[in-house]
Amino acid sequence: MSGTLKDVTDASFEREIERSDRPVLVLFWAAWDGWAEYQAVLGEVVAGYGGKVDGCRITADEHADTAGKCGVRALPRWFCSTREWGWRRSPVCGRRSS
């Protein structure tokens, strides 16, 4: 992905993430969460894996159905998804609401 995160929507979530043959770093974010400037850094992490990992981002405000399905309660939130782990069992990182 050469340092960028692919935009995902409610409609493309299953195709891009749940059916991916590679691990996917997924970032749920919003313009107001203060992390917009760090997306390039996460993109570079993905690029550092040389095509072995994909990176996607999804705007939680615009795609609330998918954010809710994935249990996102605070932003930013990122997950690593693989076919072996399954989406809902993947590790979770990010801010947590108090």
Side-chain angles (χ1 to χ4, degrees), residues 1-35:
M1 300 200 107
S2 66
T4 61
L5 301 175
K6 184 175 185 177
D7 288 315
V8 175
T9 65
D10 289 335
S12 66
F13 183 83
E14 182 179 348
R15 180 182 68 247
E16 297 293 337
I17 297 164
E18 292 180 340
R19 294 185 186 171
S20 178
D21 291 331
R22 294 186 285 221
V24 183
L25 174 68
V26 184
L27 172 67
F28 284 89
W29 72 288
W32 51 262
D33 71 14
W35 275 68

Side-chain angles (χ1 to χ4, degrees), residues 9-97:
T9 65
D10 289 335
S12 66
F13 183 83
E14 182 179 348
R15 180 182 68 247
E16 297 293 337
I17 297 164
E18 292 180 340
R19 294 185 186 171
S20 178
D21 291 331
R22 294 186 285 221
V24 183
L25 174 68
V26 184
L27 172 67
F28 284 89
W29 72 288
W32 51 262
D33 71 14
W35 275 68
E37 66 269 16
Y38 295 105
Q39 290 184 43
V41 175
L42 292 175
E44 291 302 318
V45 169
V46 169
Y49 281 94
K52 295 178 183 176
V53 174
D54 289 333
C56 297
R57 68 182 183 180
I58 184 165
T59 308
D61 288 341
E62 295 173 14
H63 306 288
D65 289 343
T66 298
K69 169 185 164 188
C70 296
V72 174
R73 294 188 178 138
L75 297 174
R77 176 80 76 206
W78 59 95
F79 299 84
C80 183
S81 177
T82 68
R83 276 189 170 179
E84 292 81 25
W85 290 346
W87 173 251
R88 289 172 184 82
R89 294 186 355 227
S90 65
V92 179
C93 301
R95 291 185 186 153
R96 297 198 184 264
S97 58

